Amino acid sequence: MTPLPPGSTIGILGGGQLGRMLAVAAAQLGYRTHVLAPDAESVAAQTAGSFTRADYHSRIVLDEFAGLADVVTYEFENIALDPIVYLAAKVTVHPAPAALGVAQDRAEEKSFVAELGGRTAPWAKVETLAELNAALATIGTPAILKTLRMGYDGKGQVRIHAAAEAEAAWNAIGGRPAILEGFVRFSHEFSIILVRGADGAMVSYPPPWNEHQDGILARSTLPAPAEIAAQWGEAAALAGRVADRLGYVGVLACEFFAGADGPVFNEMAPRVHNSGHWTIEGAMTSQFENHIRAICGLPLGDTGLTAPSVVMENLIGDQANGWADILSEPGAHLHLYGKDVRPGRKMGHVTRIGRL
């Protein structure tokens, strides 16, 4: 791939905070950005060079968008696949539609990773209540029912503690196709944030220990505990095989459980990731800059830590109102996303750089 020179335009599908931070990273490298999103409120538009508010499915809009961009990327995986395929026929799109297709279907994702030698929780695809009951009889409880498509930050998921709860769980997800996953015994959750260039070059970041509350990432901590460090190599190797098989270009996030027998793959996100926000101040090159480097054909940046310890905490809902206190902390780096405060909403994050 011939590198795109600074001054080129990067099209970003999606108007959320990931697009916002991608636009900042692109601007620092001299690139223009154009955001396309249907939302009335687009925090990405606050940092992008230009913005179009329109539906992703309009061919007229997509044709105009493709004509404005030298390369296109996306900031979330719940966008419909058809517009991505359509755009890819007109302009370079990274990551390619194939990666999005795998990540959008939990059953396909599990099967794909298993074919590459990855370890997953026991699972079964279920499309009816009868199939759910049969899966529960095989997998047992406790288990978790997840919609086959969509859902993030704990949405579209229901825990099942006993087989008698099957019908209520099925109704709770709207009777939609789903997968049933058996619970995994693990000591910690962690993620591999990997970057792959068009030439096949890859780098990855040290894995953070991720802690969740109510299904939402609360904190990412580095260096990770010994249990995670011991599984880093195997997990990163699997993420690399996933990226290679997909011909992936850009940042790929793979989430894992640190299990007794090794890393257990949970899910992948074909984009920059919340558990990589710490890299803005905590790594030599942020995940956002490395994504821009990858999709523009530039050399990938150093992923080493800038400090002995790094902790990133999400600011959920009114936690963002503590901005003044955070700004008074030595070593604290505040990022607010320009959103209206709502309960359960990711409003920003703070990264604390310190010593062990």
Side-chain angles (χ1 to χ4, degrees):
M1 174 181 177
T2 302
L4 286 179
S8 301
T9 298
I10 300 169
I12 302 173
L13 292 166
Q17 63 262 23
L18 299 180
R20 177 189 182 93
M21 289 181 273
L22 281 170
V24 170
Q28 289 174 335
L29 294 178
Y31 293 96
R32 298 183 175 92
T33 50
H34 187 102
V35 166
L36 171 62
D39 314 289
E41 178 191 39
S42 172
V43 297
Q46 296 172 9
T47 59
S50 53
F51 170 59
T52 297
R53 182 191 175 192
D55 189 273
Y56 297 124
H57 295 275
S58 168
R59 295 295 172 89
I60 295 174
V61 169
L62 293 176
D63 286 343
E64 181 179 354
F65 185 65
L68 293 170
D70 296 291
V71 65
V72 169
T73 191
Y74 42 90
E75 60 118 37
F76 72 126
E77 67 269 33
N78 286 335
I79 188 171
L81 186 58
D82 286 349
I84 304 296
V85 172
Y86 183 80
L87 279 171
K90 297 176 175 294
V91 63
T92 300
V93 176
H94 293 312
L100 190 64
V102 170
Q104 285 185 343
D105 186 311
R106 286 190 167 95
E108 184 175 347
E109 180 184 62
K110 299 283 189 189
S111 297
F112 178 78
V113 168
E115 288 175 7
L116 295 175
R119 186 184 293 104
T120 70
W123 66 279
K125 183 176 178 179
V126 294
E127 296 185 309
T128 65
L129 178 57
E131 289 182 356
L132 173 57
N133 283 317
L136 282 167
T138 301
I139 293 173
T141 56
I144 185 164
L145 184 66
K146 300 180 179 180
T147 53
L148 197 63
R149 296 178 176 274
M150 307 293 282
Y152 59 94
D153 288 343
K155 300 178 179 70
Q157 303 181 13
V158 181
R159 292 194 178 194
I160 301 176
H161 300 282
E165 299 172 3
E167 185 172 0
W170 184 247
N171 291 335
I173 66 165
R176 290 180 287 169
I179 64 169
L180 181 75
E181 284 185 7
F183 268 29
V184 175
R185 294 185 182 276
F186 63 93
S187 60
H188 300 85
E189 296 179 71
F190 69 99
S191 53
I192 297 295
I193 307 293
L194 178 142
V195 196
R196 185 179 185 275
D199 60 356
M202 284 189 279
V203 295
S204 67
Y205 292 88
W209 169 28
N210 299 325
E211 299 173 87
H212 293 78
Q213 294 176 5
D214 300 322
I216 301 175
L217 179 66
R219 184 179 302 104
S220 294
T221 303
L222 293 104
E227 293 89 344
I228 293 174
Q231 299 186 10
W232 176 3
E234 184 179 346
L238 175 61
R241 294 197 297 276
V242 169
D244 272 339
R245 178 68 66 87
L246 292 171
Y248 198 93
V249 177
V251 168
L252 171 68
C254 293
E255 297 182 31
F256 292 89
F257 301 111
D261 298 322
V264 178
F265 174 87
N266 181 29
E267 61 185 21
M268 61 178 270
R271 54 170 170 79
V272 288
H273 196 257
N274 192 178
S275 68
H277 288 359
W278 63 269
T279 63
I280 297 175
E281 291 85 20
M284 299 300 291
T285 311
S286 78
Q287 65 164 344
F288 301 98
E289 180 179 331
N290 256 334
H291 186 78
I292 299 300
R293 286 179 178 232
I295 67 174
C296 291
L298 307 178
L300 303 182
D302 185 355
T303 57
L305 297 179
T306 60
S309 70
V310 183
V311 179
M312 186 283 297
E313 291 186 354
N314 275 327
L315 300 174
I316 309 298
D318 61 9
Q319 290 177 349
N321 293 332
W323 54 267
D325 290 336
I326 294 170
L327 288 173
S328 70
E329 292 182 38
H333 300 267
L334 177 65
H335 297 259
L336 295 176
Y337 304 149
K339 298 178 178 180
D340 294 330
V341 176
R342 296 178 197 165
R345 195 180 199 193
K346 291 178 181 175
M347 301 300 304
H349 71 269
V350 56
T351 301
R352 295 177 171 90
I353 304 296
R355 299 178 179 177
L356 290 175

